[in-house]
Amino acid sequence: GGGGGGGGASPPPYQPEWSPPSAADPTAPSVISFGGLFYLDGTDSKGRAVAVINATKLPDDSNRRLAAVQHIIACLEPHGDITGEKPGYSLVVYFGEKGDKSPLGMLRWMATVYSSLPRALRKGVKVIALVNPGMFVSGTVSALMPLVSSKAYKKVVKVSGGLDALGYKAGIATVSLGVPFLHSIGRA
């Protein structure tokens, strides 16, 4: 008869349970950040998730830009709020510390992101803070946003003075942006 032993094979070595890198490294984003474009790691003082779009990291390639829109929507999905009973989320769009460093097409891409949001996500966003938008972005938002959505325009806060001004202008403390984003711009 057959069978018989495995010829001295030892059991596999013990492997501890896998843990996500964020447990060991606070600078590792909890979501794939698309090369530093998107972060969702912070929470503000009202318990809302804080999403950060780093406009300076918008990909040049249009396919990557479209993929990023889908990625952002998927990540924000749990924070949607049709009824107004959930805390929702805050959105911070960072244009760079010393004025607008976003690439061409950023404004059009942001409009695509906003128009692609399902109703629950449009209602779920409580604050849209634009940090250091350039004059063109600022002027365009002021001119066109009320035509697109007056409700959304009321949520927009333009923050000049960089991340340090975010707290008193938009009610979002810099620390609420999350360590991974702050680390990515040399502020953690």
Side-chain angles (χ1 to χ4, degrees), residues 27-76:
T27 63
S30 60
V31 297
I32 299 165
S33 68
F34 253 80
L37 174 67
F38 180 70
Y39 295 87
L40 185 59
D41 300 286
T43 307
D44 69 13
S45 60
K46 295 184 172 95
R48 298 186 286 230
V50 177
V52 181
I53 292 176
N54 185 344
T56 68
K57 301 290 186 179
L58 185 67
D60 294 329
D61 175 64
S62 61
N63 290 333
R64 296 261 310 143
R65 286 183 180 191
L66 287 173
V69 170
Q70 297 309 313
H71 173 72
I72 289 169
I73 290 169
C75 291
L76 291 175

Side-chain angles (χ1 to χ4, degrees), residues 68-116:
V69 170
Q70 297 309 313
H71 173 72
I72 289 169
I73 290 169
C75 291
L76 291 175
E77 206 77 59
H79 305 288
D81 184 17
I82 285 285
T83 61
E85 294 168 11
K86 292 182 180 176
Y89 65 99
S90 298
L91 177 62
V92 175
V93 183
Y94 176 73
F95 289 92
E97 203 52 38
K98 304 232 184 323
D100 188 350
K101 302 278 187 259
S102 62
L104 231 50
M106 178 64 193
L107 213 50
R108 179 179 289 146
W109 181 80
M110 282 176 46
T112 303
V113 170
Y114 190 79
S115 64
S116 301

Side-chain angles (χ1 to χ4, degrees), residues 159-172 174:
V159 180
S160 54
L163 293 176
D164 297 327
L166 195 56
Y168 63 88
K169 295 239 179 126
I172 302 169
T174 306

